[in-house]
Amino acid sequence: MKDVLTISLRCDGSVDRSQIDKIYILIKVIDKSGKEDQYFIGAGLISKRGAEGILDAVEIASINTIGAEATEYVFKNISSIVTHGASVNTGERRGLWTLFKQKYRSLKENSIPLITIWCAAHRSNLARKDTNSSVSEVQHLVSTLTSLCTFFHTST
């Protein structure tokens, strides 16, 4: 990690089959030679609501995977954070981005600016939903596919 030029934290939440809310954490690193690597850190269990619960889950999963000292080093040196655009992530006062900046960027020795990015895949999904609602044929196709998925998901 000492030869890393930049580190990006990627977080995305999901509810698993047993209805347990988790946050999946990846980091992408680019070393000084320009080589990119991506690492799956883990799935953090969200135990309390809101951005504080997400940040706790990210920290605990990271500590469990790479250790406390490495987690602190990585989090202090992250140059960007990528999430979906929900207010729990992007909120100016209590969102994940804000809490992360307050905790890991308030240190005097750290001068790395934090770039916050709204995931392009999530943004395109919102555009697709708007298209689906205005084109009746697409709306019918999505409804049929959803019914099929629901049927097979609940069948033995």
Side-chain angles (χ1 to χ4, degrees):
M1 283 301 219
K2 300 291 184 193
D3 288 337
V4 168
L5 184 62
T6 185
I7 304 169
S8 177
L9 176 70
R10 285 111 193 273
C11 306
D12 195 12
S14 182
V15 177
D16 68 13
R17 186 178 175 122
S18 56
Q19 299 302 304
I20 297 175
D21 201 10
K22 292 184 179 173
I23 189 89
Y24 297 90
I25 306 115
L26 296 113
I27 59 169
K28 184 171 187 171
V29 298
I30 301 174
D31 67 17
K32 291 178 181 173
S33 69
K35 183 178 174 255
E36 294 180 36
D37 280 315
Q38 186 162 279
Y39 303 99
F40 177 68
I41 298 298
L45 193 60
I46 300 175
S47 58
K48 58 183 169 180
R49 296 179 59 81
E52 289 152 356
I54 294 172
L55 183 58
D56 286 350
V58 168
E59 290 171 331
I60 291 167
S62 298
I63 289 168
N64 290 340
T65 303
I66 62 175
E69 193 174 306
T71 295
E72 185 155 344
Y73 174 81
V74 168
F75 284 13
K76 285 180 182 178
N77 290 288
I78 283 175
S79 57
S80 66
I81 192 168
V82 183
T83 64
H84 61 74
S87 61
V88 73
N89 292 321
T90 63
E92 289 183 33
R93 288 184 285 162
R94 301 297 304 158
L96 177 64
W97 294 354
T98 301
L99 294 178
F100 194 89
K101 284 178 190 176
Q102 289 171 351
K103 187 166 186 176
Y104 294 102
R105 292 299 183 264
S106 62
L107 306 169
K108 297 273 187 218
E109 77 270 3
N110 195 336
S111 61
I112 299 171
L114 184 67
I115 300 167
T116 53
I117 302 167
W118 184 355
C119 173
H122 284 97
R123 292 185 106 180
S124 357
N125 187 37
L126 293 173
R128 182 200 51 82
K129 283 183 180 179
D130 286 345
T131 303
N132 289 359
S133 64
S134 62
V135 179
S136 62
E137 291 83 4
V138 174
Q139 201 171 13
H140 178 71
L141 176 65
V142 169
S143 175
T144 303
L145 292 172
T146 302
S147 298
L148 280 169
C149 291
T150 302
F151 173 78
F152 286 111
H153 178 74
T154 57
S155 70
T156 55

